[in-house]
Amino acid sequence: MSHDARRELLGELIDHAALFPPASMDMPEAMEADRAARDGEHAWMLGRFICPASRLGELPAGAPRLSVVLDGGEGDLEVVHDARLDGREVELVEARIDPAWIPDTQQLVQAKLGEGVEAFWELAPGRGLRGAVAAVREARAGAKIRCGGATAAPPVEAVAEFIAACRDAGVRFKATAGLHHAIRAGDAHGFLNVLAAAVFAYVDGLSAEELVPLLAEEDPGAFAADADAFAVGDRRASAEQIAEARRDLFVAYGSCSFDEPVADLVALGVL
């Protein structure tokens, strides 16, 4: 059966973070925005709704499947456990963490939440990254990278090293913050650049150094996607190759807006 490369590239790519800056919606407004996105033409691009553990109690009945940010400490796992007993569909938990705590924290996640919930631990780029990714791999968890937001965006070299390290370790990753637009502009990373780096790291086995030009590319004309393939410059990946990269390496990224990335992709002619 043939697959559409655009669907494989963008399917469930965006985890909706409407509660988080810069959107910072209140819960009713965020739920309305999420419902509108899930009822729209491009709903197939939408994955989970991201909710802090401290706000799970505000969710209305019938909320979508969730990724929960652990924002209050060890007690958050009990809150998530209770939410699941109440029928909340929690697929992921995620948190910023000292890599030294990953083994013990992962054990707590498994003890409280069981095998049905996957954890993604946010890692800082720079020295020690490979060791931190190795700790994530040993814990059978996922990794997460922050691409901007309240803190300065990491340089393209740091993002490239993170993607290459995850690929080498067989660790799936998420991204968050700063990916407001498809194509890189100035110091702001583009989500299509990160997608390209992940896909071609996986498909072509590119080194971190070889990923840098993909992450640094600011020319929208360098990117193309149609039913058959995703291409950047002279690199090309088929629908089947993209599906494998999305399954095994780049899971999703968190965005406070769904409309902005969709509008960018429409303007680029990808959608």
Side-chain angles (χ1 to χ4, degrees):
M1 182 177 67
S2 63
H3 299 272
D4 189 312
R6 293 162 297 192
R7 292 263 175 169
E8 301 295 355
L9 186 70
L10 303 170
E12 299 191 4
L13 175 67
I14 299 172
D15 282 351
H16 202 183
L19 295 172
F20 293 82
S24 300
M25 296 180 183
D26 61 27
M27 186 64 78
E29 186 182 11
M31 284 286 96
E32 181 55 35
D34 192 76
R35 277 192 291 270
R38 293 182 193 278
D39 288 340
E41 176 185 1
H42 301 107
W44 55 274
M45 290 175 51
L46 197 57
R48 305 153 198 87
F49 183 81
I50 304 179
C51 184
S54 60
R55 301 186 67 180
L56 284 171
E58 299 177 39
L59 285 168
R65 54 201 177 96
L66 302 170
S67 182
V68 177
V69 174
L70 306 178
D71 61 336
E74 186 178 326
D76 283 350
L77 294 177
E78 193 66 43
V79 172
V80 176
H81 172 71
D82 290 345
R84 293 180 77 206
L85 291 179
D86 289 340
R88 302 300 186 191
E89 190 178 355
V90 179
E91 292 187 351
L92 309 178
V93 293
E94 46 189 291
R96 192 178 306 183
I97 190 172
D98 185 320
W101 300 346
I102 289 174
D104 289 345
T105 308
Q106 186 68 33
Q107 287 184 359
L108 288 171
V109 169
Q110 291 171 343
K112 284 287 185 184
L113 305 180
E115 296 295 329
V117 178
E118 189 173 3
F120 281 78
W121 304 121
E122 183 178 326
L123 306 178
R127 296 175 66 180
L129 175 66
R130 292 261 170 181
V133 172
V136 171
R137 181 196 62 215
E138 291 301 314
R140 298 182 180 179
K144 179 178 168 183
I145 183 170
R146 184 167 296 272
C147 294
T151 58
V156 290
E157 292 82 3
V159 180
E161 182 60 35
F162 174 87
I163 293 172
C166 288
R167 185 270 320 276
D168 292 345
V171 167
R172 307 197 314 151
F173 77 88
K174 289 191 65 180
T176 190
L179 298 173
H180 301 294
H181 295 288
I183 307 298
R184 181 178 178 84
D187 291 333
H189 293 286
F191 66 82
L192 207 54
N193 297 81
V194 176
L195 259 176
V199 167
F200 293 110
Y202 187 89
V203 171
D204 291 344
L206 301 186
S207 67
E209 184 177 3
E210 292 170 317
L211 294 178
V212 167
L214 293 171
L215 290 162
E217 182 60 71
E218 296 190 25
D219 178 11
F223 299 82
D226 58 23
D228 296 322
F230 173 49
V232 184
D234 59 358
R235 297 195 179 277
R236 185 180 186 277
S238 68
E240 290 75 14
Q241 290 172 319
I242 296 165
E244 291 175 0
R246 287 291 317 280
R247 180 194 67 208
D248 296 341
L249 187 57
F250 187 19
V251 175
Y253 82 96
S255 175
C256 66
S257 170
F258 184 69
D259 293 340
E260 282 185 6
V262 168
D264 266 22
L265 292 169
V266 169
L268 287 168
V270 174
L271 294 176

